[in-house]
Every structure is written in structure tokens, then in C-alpha cells.
Amino acid sequence: MKNILLVLTLLIFTQTASAQLFSKNKIQNNQNMDKPKWSYGYFLGFNSYDYNFDYNQDLPDIQTLKTVGFSVGLVGNMRINDYIDIRLEPGLYITKRELHYHSSYFNGVSYNDSDLLREVNSTYIHFPLLLKLSTKRVNNIKPFVVGGFSTSVNLSSNQNNPDDNSNGQFRTKNGVIFYEVGAGIDIYLPWFKFTPSVRGVFAINDELVRDVDPDSPWTSNITTMKSRGLFINFTFQ
């Protein structure tokens, strides 16, 4: 995922550098759009989450099957100067992951094929606070990098469910803290500003709720389980 983020970031800045070097000056759209102290907008996008596991014993990795989820949210921007902004981007992120266990996790324990699969549905209310660092505007584009911290509340969490994996319930915590890094380009159109961006998010805290049985084949070998994700957002302001 980090490699994908790096490649996309390089592509964005390659295109920007090309525009700076080879494009003639053009009429600028919405020249005063970035002047107000406060500005607002919304975003639509896609997300892909998986898990990063640390283990107690050297067993085969738990494989995470990722899906492409949907994201929607609002943008609040506070201008500091021409190059620095502070952004709040609360949003709804819907995703699903499947965890596939190797049979070696069940040595000495009877199991069914269904025990090797756990489905984790997540509906996050995501609250990032971000610092946006932009370059000088060139014609009608303005590239930037962004970073910060965020917290998410998982509305699909079953943290307080008394049933655990022995009853088919894989439990995760309802609160997650992330750090985020990304890049994008502000594109100034005649009527609004359109911003495609890519961002990587990486959980800081362990999200696993362990089973009651300390020797549970599903949770006993996991030291930490942390979400990580890739966001592709399209913002309109």
C-alpha cells in the first residue's frame, strides 16, 4: 500500500512539473477563491482497508482480502496563508474485509472450513485534522501535500458483544486513532475548485478484542492488529 501511495504521489508531481515547465501562462479561474479565511466543500471517494498483524509465534500470516469501499464527507478549511491551510474532513467510510486463517492455527483443535474465515464489516465515522502545505499556484493548478491525525468511530463494532469467535463473532474495538499522509492537486475550474487526492492512513492503536479463551486459535497468536487504508477522494469546493 505504501508503494501504491508513493507511485501515485510521484505521478501527481510529475504531471505538475510538466505543466510548470512547458505550459504557457493562462487566464486564471477564480483568482480570489483562496482568499477567504474559511471555506467549505464536500468529497466523494473510494477506500480500501486491510490489517497489519504482529504475531506471537511464527505461523503463516493471516491473509486479508480487501474490498473497495465508498466514502462521503464534508470539508472545512481554515486559511493560514497562501501556502498553509488547516482542514477538518469528517466523513463516512464503509468497507469490508475478510480474514483467512491457515489450518495450522487449529492444530489439535477440531474445526470446520467456516472457522478459517472471518468477515469484518466496518462503518467508520472518520474525523481527520490535517495540515495542508501547498506550492505556488501555477495557472489553474496548485499541488499540495497533506498530513495529520484522525480518529474513527466504528458504528459496526461489536466490541461489547458477549459472544466471541467460539460463536462466530470476530470482535474489534469501536475507536481507532490514525496518522495520515497524502498528496493532491487543486484544479481551479470556472465555477468551482476540484481536488483529486490520494492519502494513506495507518492505525496507531491495537483494534483486536480478544476471545475469552486465552488459547483461542483466532486471537491468541495476534500481538497487535492495526488497520491501514488507502483513500482516493474527489473534493468539490
Side-chain angles (χ1 to χ4, degrees):
M1 183 172 297
K2 291 182 179 179
N3 290 335
I4 294 174
L5 180 62
L6 179 60
V7 170
L8 290 174
T9 302
L10 289 174
L11 287 174
I12 288 172
F13 282 102
T14 298
Q15 293 297 323
T16 302
S18 176
Q20 291 175 339
L21 291 174
F22 302 110
S23 297
K24 296 180 180 179
N25 290 333
K26 299 178 181 179
I27 296 175
Q28 292 191 357
N29 298 321
N30 291 310
Q31 296 184 34
N32 296 319
M33 174 168 281
D34 293 334
K35 297 302 182 183
K37 180 74 171 179
W38 301 94
S39 59
Y40 305 91
Y42 66 92
F43 68 85
L44 303 171
F46 303 97
N47 64 72
S48 179
Y49 284 87
D50 69 353
Y51 284 116
N52 182 48
F53 291 95
D54 291 322
Y55 302 98
N56 295 314
Q57 301 177 23
D58 188 17
L59 293 176
D61 288 351
I62 300 169
Q63 299 299 315
T64 305
L65 178 63
K66 299 176 287 185
T67 62
V68 177
F70 177 71
S71 313
V72 61
L74 302 175
V75 175
N77 189 90
M78 183 177 73
R79 178 182 181 273
I80 304 300
N81 56 42
D82 288 341
Y83 306 103
I84 302 175
D85 298 89
I86 296 175
R87 296 172 73 89
L88 183 64
E89 298 185 2
L92 177 69
Y93 291 74
I94 300 172
T95 190
K96 182 176 76 171
R97 286 159 280 191
E98 289 183 358
L99 304 181
H100 293 262
Y101 285 80
H102 192 269
S103 58
S104 59
Y105 281 74
F106 296 84
N107 283 342
V109 180
S110 61
Y111 66 93
N112 300 315
D113 288 343
S114 61
D115 292 325
L116 301 178
L117 172 65
R118 287 292 181 262
E119 187 175 283
V120 184
N121 293 301
S122 301
T123 303
Y124 293 114
I125 301 295
H126 191 66
F127 297 94
L129 182 62
L130 305 170
L131 181 66
K132 177 183 176 184
L133 303 176
S134 304
T135 67
K136 181 179 179 180
R137 176 173 172 173
V138 178
N139 296 325
N140 288 311
I141 64 172
K142 190 176 183 181
F144 64 87
V145 295
V146 65
F149 294 91
S150 58
T151 182
S152 288
V153 177
N154 186 359
L155 301 181
S156 301
S157 170
N158 52 2
Q159 175 176 336
N160 297 320
N161 192 332
D163 294 331
D164 61 14
N165 279 291
S166 61
N167 294 299
Q169 297 295 315
F170 189 92
R171 299 180 296 177
T172 59
K173 296 177 182 178
N174 58 21
V176 190
I177 299 173
F178 296 90
Y179 70 89
E180 309 190 11
V181 291
I185 300 177
D186 289 330
I187 302 173
Y188 297 83
L189 301 176
W191 301 107
F192 60 90
K193 181 167 65 176
F194 172 66
T195 305
S197 65
V198 59
R199 196 154 76 237
V201 297
F202 308 92
I204 297 173
N205 61 302
D206 179 25
E207 299 171 56
L208 179 64
V209 177
R210 286 159 179 80
D211 295 338
V212 174
D213 179 4
D215 297 319
S216 166
W218 293 277
T219 62
S220 63
N221 193 44
I222 299 175
T223 305
T224 61
M225 182 185 77
K226 299 178 181 180
S227 286
R228 55 188 180 183
L230 180 68
F231 298 167
I232 297 177
N233 289 341
F234 303 96
T235 302
F236 302 84
Q237 289 180 270

